[in-house]
Amino acid sequence: MQKNIAIIMGGYSSEYIISLQSGDVVYNYLDKDKYNLYKIHIYKEKWVYVDEENIEIPVDRNDFSVTINGIRITFDCVFNAIHGSPGEDGYMQAYFELLRIPITGCGFYQSALTFNKRDLLSTLKPYGIKSAEAYYLNEGDEVNEDEIIAKVGLPCFVKANKAGSSFGITKVMTKDELAPAIETAYNEDDEIIIESFLDGTEVSVGVITYNGEIKVLPITEIVSENDFFDYEAKYLGKSQEITPARIPEEWTEKVAATAKKVYQTLKMKGFSRSEYIFVNNEPYLLELNTTPGLTEASILPQQAEHAGISLSMLFENAIEEALIQKL
């Protein structure tokens, strides 16, 4: 009997457009002879099932069911394609855990922890995972520009602490640019992380659970046409993503081992994609994404393809891993 799979997409953040693209790709590549697939759009104002004619049917949030032509549909598994809140920060994972419905990817704690950049980096520091020098601000805190610059130096990066796809991030070159950058970051989040500039080669490392084993995918080198890997570079073609990365074998082994250690230390499941910059032959962790982009052009699918894993295999494996965990 075919299993009912809900593909959740959209979300509450600036990333919802990318999420809708990812969700559509998942829908298009999964085997419809094997699964009954349902696109579920999740927004602050509505949760709806969207059919082939773009007709919207409300989702009953009490049990995450949909009634179509008088028939109540429940789901065997949820495929999470929401980037940002509430799909990448633990809320959806906790909701589905309470309903006892399997969801692809990691659990609610890992989602919440990894979405909070400063908590993630603080958690991993005792395990020897290197990261940039950082200064933290909460909205309403007094801003001491001299103190910030004394700690992180110039240039530096001002980032929203809990936001993805490089929203709310500014590279600050001078003291005068600091206050506007902080204001930009506060537009995305009420917490800010200000990091020292790491000058080196940037790479992206996908780590997944595949056929029950932790697998490090081929590494991607990020070469941005812009000053850094910002939204334009990620999504508007302003970067080169070179897989496999043009880095020494020693670096490849080092960053692969580091990324696997991070995945194991955090007790991750499902997809993950972490970003590193090499400084003095050592990888420094920038962030970790638990719901990375899943379009054909996205980094993790490119890496999987180089590893001989097609999109349909990648997505089906995620569902089967989630279903196994329920047993």
Side-chain angles (χ1 to χ4, degrees):
M1 188 173 167
Q2 284 184 297
K3 295 195 180 297
N4 293 338
I5 309 298
I7 304 169
I8 58 172
M9 60 188 90
Y12 302 167
S13 76
S14 305
E15 299 180 79
Y16 78 93
I17 295 172
I18 309 300
S19 172
L20 292 176
Q21 293 171 6
S22 288
D24 283 345
V25 169
V26 173
Y27 179 84
N28 292 335
Y29 276 89
L30 278 171
D31 186 349
K32 293 168 185 64
D33 292 329
K34 192 165 188 176
Y35 306 111
N36 299 317
L37 303 176
Y38 297 81
K39 293 184 190 180
I40 307 288
H41 289 198
I42 291 189
Y43 304 109
K44 282 181 180 173
E45 66 278 6
K46 62 183 178 181
W47 293 17
V48 290
Y49 159 62
V50 181
D51 71 9
E52 295 289 338
E53 279 75 48
N54 282 325
I55 293 168
E56 296 182 351
I57 298 172
V59 173
D60 184 340
R61 300 191 201 187
N62 293 300
D63 59 2
F64 198 71
S65 64
V66 179
T67 301
I68 304 171
N69 299 324
I71 298 169
R72 180 172 159 272
I73 307 292
T74 58
F75 297 99
D76 298 292
C77 184
V78 173
F79 193 107
N80 181 19
I82 297 177
H83 314 310
S85 187
E88 202 168 1
D89 55 4
Y91 285 104
M92 297 309 296
Q93 290 82 356
Y95 167 75
F96 286 115
E97 192 160 316
L98 289 170
L99 292 178
R100 301 185 65 79
I101 301 173
I103 181 171
T104 59
C106 61
F108 73 90
Y109 173 73
Q110 285 81 5
S111 296
L113 176 65
T114 54
F115 197 67
N116 188 311
K117 295 182 186 76
R118 62 198 203 188
D119 287 2
L120 168 71
L121 298 173
S122 299
T123 298
L124 291 171
K125 196 171 185 178
Y127 292 89
I129 307 301
K130 296 178 173 63
S131 57
E133 191 69 57
Y135 188 102
Y136 303 146
L137 281 175
N138 293 329
E139 198 162 19
D141 285 354
E142 182 186 341
V143 178
N144 186 326
E145 294 180 351
D146 291 329
E147 190 177 282
I148 293 168
I149 292 166
K151 182 160 192 194
V152 303
L154 288 172
C156 64
F157 283 104
V158 179
K159 303 176 180 179
N161 187 41
K162 304 186 298 292
S165 292
S166 301
F167 287 107
I169 181 169
T170 308
K171 185 177 182 181
V172 171
M173 305 299 292
T174 67
K175 183 178 176 180
D176 292 343
E177 295 173 0
L178 195 54
I182 288 170
E183 192 175 329
T184 297
Y186 277 141
N187 288 334
E188 291 292 330
D189 189 20
D190 61 358
E191 297 173 357
I192 286 178
I193 181 168
I194 304 173
E195 292 180 330
S196 60
F197 171 60
L198 298 175
D199 191 9
T201 302
E202 182 169 353
V203 296
S204 185
V205 188
V207 184
I208 62 174
T209 301
Y210 192 75
N211 292 335
E213 301 287 330
I214 296 173
K215 184 175 183 66
V216 181
L217 298 173
I219 291 154
T220 300
E221 180 184 352
I222 308 296
V223 183
S224 176
E225 290 175 23
N226 293 356
D227 210 18
F228 61 96
F229 195 44
D230 60 3
Y231 183 87
E232 279 192 339
K234 278 184 180 173
Y235 298 116
L236 303 179
K238 299 280 187 177
S239 71
Q240 282 181 280
E241 295 154 8
I242 301 161
T243 311
R246 305 165 303 177
I247 58 175
E249 183 63 30
E250 178 196 350
W251 285 18
T252 299
E253 290 172 4
K254 198 174 278 189
V255 78
T258 301
K260 186 174 183 179
K261 182 179 180 180
V262 166
Y263 193 95
Q264 290 173 312
T265 298
L266 298 177
K267 300 180 181 176
M268 285 288 300
K269 295 170 187 166
F271 302 139
S272 79
R273 199 196 74 225
S274 47
E275 322 299 332
Y276 296 85
I277 288 182
F278 274 93
V279 180
N280 297 326
N281 299 325
E282 293 294 329
Y284 283 69
L285 177 63
L286 298 178
E287 63 177 359
L288 189 149
N289 301 286
T290 57
T291 315
L294 298 173
T295 69
E296 293 96 332
S298 298
I299 293 172
L300 188 89
Q302 287 180 36
Q303 295 174 339
E305 187 182 345
H306 278 274
I309 302 169
S310 68
L311 282 177
S312 55
M313 291 161 65
L314 186 70
F315 300 153
E316 184 173 319
N317 176 78
I319 291 169
E320 296 305 322
E321 290 281 347
L323 290 169
I324 287 168
Q325 286 161 26
K326 189 188 178 185
L327 298 176

